[in-house]
Amino acid sequence: MGEILVGTCSWTDPRLVRSGWYPAGARGAEGRLRYYTTRFPVVEADSAYYALPDERNSRLWAERTPEHFVFDVKAFSPLTGHPTRCGALPKELRGASYDPRDATFLDAVWARFAEGIEPLRRHGRLGSVLFQFPPWFRPGTRAEAFLEGCAERTAGWPVAVEFRHPAWWREGRTEATAALLRRYGFAAVGVDMVQTLPSSVPPVTPVTSPRLSVVRFHGRSPSWGTGSKEDRFRYEYADHELEEWVPRLRSLAGSVERLHVLFNNCCGDAAVRAAERMRSLLERPASASRVPRAASG
C-alpha cells in the first residue's frame, strides 16, 4: 500500500492562528511552520494562487522542515485561467499592457512561478503543483488544448488537477476525463463537497497517475454556491462523514505510491481537527468496528 499523507490546505490562515491551535511559543512564521510539521507531513501552500511564490520563501520552507515533509503548491491564478488582480503581479508585469491572454505575459508568469518553486523541487519537498481550474473551464477542445499547454510547461513536475465544473466527472464523461489526465501523467484530484447544488462536483476518485492521488475536503456547507468565502468553508466534519471515506482512501493508497488527503475547510481550527481525526481513523485496523454515528445538526 502506498503512503497516506494527511494535512490541511493552509498553515497560515489568520483564523487558524487566532484559534489557539498553535502553542504560545509558535506564533511567528518560522515557529508556526515548524510546529505544523510535528503534527502533519504535508500542507498545501494556497498563497501561491494569490501571488507568485517567492524563491526565498520556498528556500526557507525547505530549510525549516524535516526531510519527509512536502508542500503541495497551488498554481498562480493566471496559469489556470482565473482573473488576477494587477496588484498581485510583480511590478514589471503590471501596467496598461497587462493582458492575461498575451503569450509574452504568460511566458513571464510561468518563468517566475517555476523560479519560485525551484527550491522545493531541488530539495525534494514539492509534493505536487495543484492546478484547480475555474467553474467555467468545461470539457471541450479549448480546454484540452489548454491542458496540453500546461503539460508542456510542467514537464518533470508532479501535477495534480482539480476540475470545478461538474461535467468533467459526470456519468458518461468520467473515463474520457481520466484518460485525458493519464495522457499527461496528471494526478486526478477527488473532492468532498456538498452534493445538492448544480455546481457540485461528484466525489469520484479515479487513479490517473501511479505516483500520486489527491483528495481535497472542501466541507459540505450549503453556502458553497452563494455565500462568502468564510461561509463556503465554515464546516465541521462529523465522524461518520470522515469514516465513510476511509475504505475509499485505503483503496486509492493501494493503487498509487502516495496519497495526499487535504482538508480545505479552513475556518478556525476545523481543518486541523478534521485532519487529525481522519489520520486517526486511517491508522485503525481495517477490521475495526465502525465508530458511532455523530449527531447531525
Side-chain angles (χ1 to χ4, degrees):
M1 177 177 289
E3 187 178 15
I4 303 177
L5 306 185
V6 182
T8 67
C9 293
S10 175
W11 77 96
T12 61
D13 187 89
R15 290 161 296 186
L16 172 60
V17 174
R18 294 194 298 266
S19 72
W21 185 74
Y22 287 108
R27 297 295 171 84
E30 180 176 355
R32 286 194 295 268
L33 180 56
R34 289 189 183 278
Y35 178 76
Y36 180 96
T37 67
T38 68
R39 306 293 290 272
F40 302 108
V42 62
V43 75
E44 182 180 295
D46 68 334
S47 59
Y49 168 81
Y50 301 99
L52 281 164
D54 181 78
E55 186 177 10
R56 177 179 178 274
N57 282 343
S58 292
R59 177 173 52 79
L60 290 174
W61 291 350
E63 292 173 353
R64 293 169 175 176
T65 54
E67 291 184 1
H68 69 271
F69 191 86
V70 295
F71 294 82
D72 285 1
V73 180
K74 197 170 183 180
F76 187 38
S77 53
L79 306 186
T80 49
H82 284 87
T84 305
R85 295 184 304 103
C86 186
L89 298 170
K91 290 182 179 180
E92 64 270 23
L93 296 180
R94 302 176 192 174
S97 62
Y98 160 56
D99 183 351
R101 297 165 298 180
D102 179 75
T104 301
F105 168 80
L106 285 174
D107 286 345
V109 171
W110 273 102
R112 291 289 295 268
F113 185 84
E115 291 171 3
I117 66 173
E118 180 55 29
L120 296 176
R121 293 186 65 210
R122 187 168 61 248
H123 292 279
R125 304 300 175 74
L126 183 63
S128 75
V129 179
L130 169 66
F131 284 80
Q132 185 190 59
F133 290 101
W136 55 87
F137 190 80
R138 64 179 64 237
T141 55
R142 290 180 62 184
E144 292 187 15
F146 196 98
L147 288 169
E148 183 178 8
C150 288
E152 292 173 355
R153 292 184 183 269
T154 60
W157 296 5
V159 171
V161 170
E162 178 179 343
F163 294 118
R164 294 183 63 197
H165 193 293
W168 288 97
W169 295 120
R170 281 181 178 156
E171 188 174 355
R173 171 73 206 191
T174 301
E175 287 304 317
T177 298
L180 180 64
L181 297 182
R182 288 191 192 101
R183 182 188 309 167
Y184 302 122
F186 293 163
V189 177
V191 299
D192 180 271
M193 64 178 298
V194 62
Q195 289 296 303
T196 57
L197 304 172
S199 60
S200 296
V201 176
V204 297
T205 53
V207 175
T208 58
S209 166
R211 298 183 301 276
L212 176 70
S213 190
V214 180
V215 178
R216 300 176 80 234
F217 286 75
H218 294 304
R220 302 180 182 182
S221 170
S223 299
W224 184 266
T226 58
S228 66
K229 180 179 179 181
E230 184 171 348
D231 290 335
R232 293 196 301 273
F233 294 104
R234 184 188 292 115
Y235 191 80
E236 302 275 350
Y237 275 100
D239 278 358
H240 72 274
E241 292 172 328
L242 300 177
E243 191 187 34
E244 68 188 33
W245 270 92
V246 170
R248 185 180 299 186
L249 295 177
R250 286 176 172 155
S251 177
L252 273 175
S255 301
V256 295
E257 295 175 10
R258 181 171 280 184
L259 169 63
H260 291 185
V261 180
L262 296 163
F263 284 84
N264 197 31
N265 55 324
C266 297
C267 187
D269 63 352
V272 292
R273 287 191 291 103
E276 289 168 345
R277 183 57 181 146
M278 177 62 84
R279 183 179 57 197
S280 176
L281 289 170
L282 288 167
E283 289 173 350
R284 294 176 55 178
S287 59
S289 59
R290 293 176 57 87
V291 297
R293 289 179 60 90
S296 59

